Amino acid sequence: QVQLRESGPGLVKPSQTLSLTCTVSGEPITTSYYAWNWLRQPPGKGLEWMGVIAYDGSTYYSPSLKSRTSISRDTSKNQFSLQLSSVTPEDTAVYYCARMEGLRTGVINRDAYDYWGQGTQVTVSS
């Protein structure tokens, strides 16, 4: 059984960098052809796709967030991480990691992902 779990600070100050980690169990993140995604849902809004790191380590980002987003991985820990810089209160959201079979970018249909983390609330506030 594949499980994903997000971890990281629940409160970040404006202008700082938000850092989250997704710990995966049950499947190596290097297994072909899975892609490991970050998405978020601000309060009262829909799901937003942020970026992805594929099984081979290649990364792709949402054009609207690309300048502030970085996704990396630690294969020894079977983790992948999100960094979002220069945060503002508009970055307040529930952040999710999710797995997709195959690589497609920009997907916000929940059914396209086969495994999800439980989500973690991040609030940007001073």
Side-chain angles (χ1 to χ4, degrees):
Q1 179 75 1
V2 177
Q3 293 185 324
L4 291 79
R5 178 172 52 87
E6 304 92 348
S7 59
L11 180 65
V12 182
K13 294 186 185 307
S15 80
Q16 292 187 341
T17 295
L18 180 162
S19 296
L20 297 174
T21 295
C22 184
T23 300
V24 180
S25 60
E27 184 74 68
I29 60 174
T30 55
T31 300
S32 306
Y33 295 95
Y34 292 114
W36 306 89
N37 296 259
W38 285 102
L39 303 97
R40 68 181 182 178
Q41 186 163 20
K45 297 185 179 180
L47 201 61
E48 179 183 19
W49 180 81
M50 301 182 69
V52 60
I53 186 163
Y55 70 96
D56 61 356
S58 57
T59 54
Y60 304 87
Y61 302 105
S62 167
S64 65
L65 297 171
K66 184 175 183 178
S67 64
R68 299 195 291 131
T69 307
S70 177
I71 297 175
S72 59
R73 67 180 185 176
D74 185 337
T75 56
S76 68
K77 296 180 179 179
N78 215 39
Q79 296 175 333
F80 63 106
S81 297
L82 170 74
Q83 289 198 315
L84 182 67
S85 62
S86 304
V87 297
T88 72
E90 285 65 43
D91 294 308
T92 295
V94 178
Y95 286 75
Y96 298 94
C97 55
R99 190 185 83 166
M100 177 184 287
E101 184 172 2
L103 178 63
R104 288 182 288 160
T105 60
V107 177
I108 58 172
N109 178 359
R110 289 183 177 269
D111 291 341
Y113 301 89
D114 56 359
Y115 290 99
W116 288 79
Q118 80 282 3
T120 187
Q121 172 70 46
V122 178
T123 300
V124 179
S125 175
S126 56

